[in-house]
Amino acid sequence: MVIKFTRRQWLTLIVISIADFMNAICVSLQAPFYPQEAEKKGASPSEYGLVFGIFELVVFIISPLYGQQLNRIGPKILFNGGILTTATCAIFFGLLDKVNGHYPFIILSFVIRIVEAMGNGAFLTASFAIIAMEFPDNVATTFASLETFFGLGLIVGPTVGGALYQVGGYTTPFVVLGSALFLAAVMTAFVLPVHNDREQDAHSSGGVGKLLKIPGVLIASMSIIATSVSIGFLQATLEPHLRQFNLSPVVLGLMFVINGGTYALAAPVWGWLCDKYSHPKVATVAGCILVMIGFSLIGPAPFIPLPTIIWISICGLVIHGLGMAAQLVASFTDALRTSVSYGFPNNIETYGLVSGLWTSTFALGAFIGPSVAGILLDNIGFRNGTMFIILLHMLVAVIAGLYLSCSRKPKPYTEVGADEDPRTPLTDSGRSRSGSSRHGGRGQGVPIDRPGGMNSLFACNSYSNRAGAWSRASYSGRYSHSYGSIEAKRYLEMTT
């Protein structure tokens, strides 16, 4: 499981991890302190509830636009601009207690959150694209590692914020932690490498609409939405559900970080599995099953003839964390591999499109989840409401499973070895696709009846064969580049 990175890769990983951690802290700061301050200013729960909801809605709308313009703007500029905007807005949000009057307070709250969402969407879209460019052979593992830092930030944010709130009041946590994020942005401005791929603009294959026409990418997007809906569902309903146990504020706060903490620990493992051994959609199906089991226990679901028991609910939250880690980690690398295999160019534009799509679909689910959860809680209660999440993930699991079974139908192919001429006629071979995918250095299996760019199976292989016979064939123009090398020609010259 040991991975060797270059100095540039280590620096990139470190600075993005720090930025991800600090960004999560600032994003999670509002929930514990803002509602009470808003009520002091005369705001209703509906009004300050929309202040939270507008954040995810703006991220959903703006992220695909960032993805389409990523190549033109530049990943580093978008990354630094986004994180600086988020940091500045976090500081301004901490000054809202100085605003007098109901309507000025609410209007400024909306304005700051909208601008903050625009910055957060830019930061996330650029960071995911940079991961794909800098770590082509370990996309899932690296993505999962960064998600671990984001998850830790979501845990640390309310804890540290609460301590600062007790020391200095409403303004202190926002100013202190927002300033820390600002310093992280300054650091990334000096350390983060510059990526410039503007010369490939002419080879663009389309926007998000065309990306979603690819079945594998559409299923990955459905998985992201379902997972974020489940997260939002618990954020809105877990506290009322657990109110029957009269838990202390400290214990109740710990209940909210169980699934997030499990996610932070499990994400790197799922990422490593997706990179080295497993088809990402296998992880998607496994994740859906785990989320279904988790929600069946948290309630428990109406088909389980037991009352709500606290330790069973805790087990359910742990299993939910394992499931959401599998789904979120697998979905990003799956969408990236599949889009390239279907003919999208292997360049910054495609990375930006996929990154924007991931960020947007996650935000959509985060917006839908609490909204639907509130309605279900009011009308049918928590236990019956969990069936919505269970059935939603069952649907995604069935669709992903059907796609996986269809894509694994045996195809006649020949294996191109390192010493073979790739221009020889293709013949039948009895070897399975899974066998060739675990021996990346020996070349890829080439299906006879479909070109490589349209073969979803080809996308599932690890990106390890860079300079073998297959790569030489791709450079000659017969086949498209294998995933994960923007400057393929220069790489080949250095290695041969």
Side-chain angles (χ1 to χ4, degrees), residues 293-362:
I293 295 172
F295 265 79
S296 298
L297 297 177
I298 295 172
F303 54 79
I304 297 179
L306 290 174
T308 303
I309 303 173
I310 188 67
W311 69 267
I312 293 181
S313 297
I314 292 174
C315 291
L317 289 169
V318 171
I319 296 172
H320 175 246
L322 293 172
M324 63 189 257
Q327 286 186 265
L328 292 180
V329 170
S331 59
F332 179 71
T333 187
D334 188 18
L336 201 53
R337 295 180 188 183
T338 306
S339 60
V340 172
S341 75
Y342 269 74
F344 274 72
N346 185 18
N347 61 12
I348 294 178
E349 286 190 350
T350 299
Y351 304 158
L353 283 174
V354 175
S355 301
L357 178 65
W358 195 98
T359 307
S360 178
T361 49
F362 185 89

Side-chain angles (χ1 to χ4, degrees), residues 248-303:
S248 67
V250 174
V251 175
L252 185 61
L254 289 174
M255 294 294 290
F256 273 91
V257 301
I258 289 174
N259 57 351
T262 305
Y263 168 77
L265 295 174
V269 178
W270 284 111
W272 179 69
L273 289 173
C274 287
D275 270 337
K276 301 300 180 184
Y277 295 105
S278 175
H279 190 310
K281 281 192 172 56
V282 173
T284 296
V285 174
C288 287
I289 294 172
L290 288 170
V291 171
M292 290 164 57
I293 295 172
F295 265 79
S296 298
L297 297 177
I298 295 172
F303 54 79

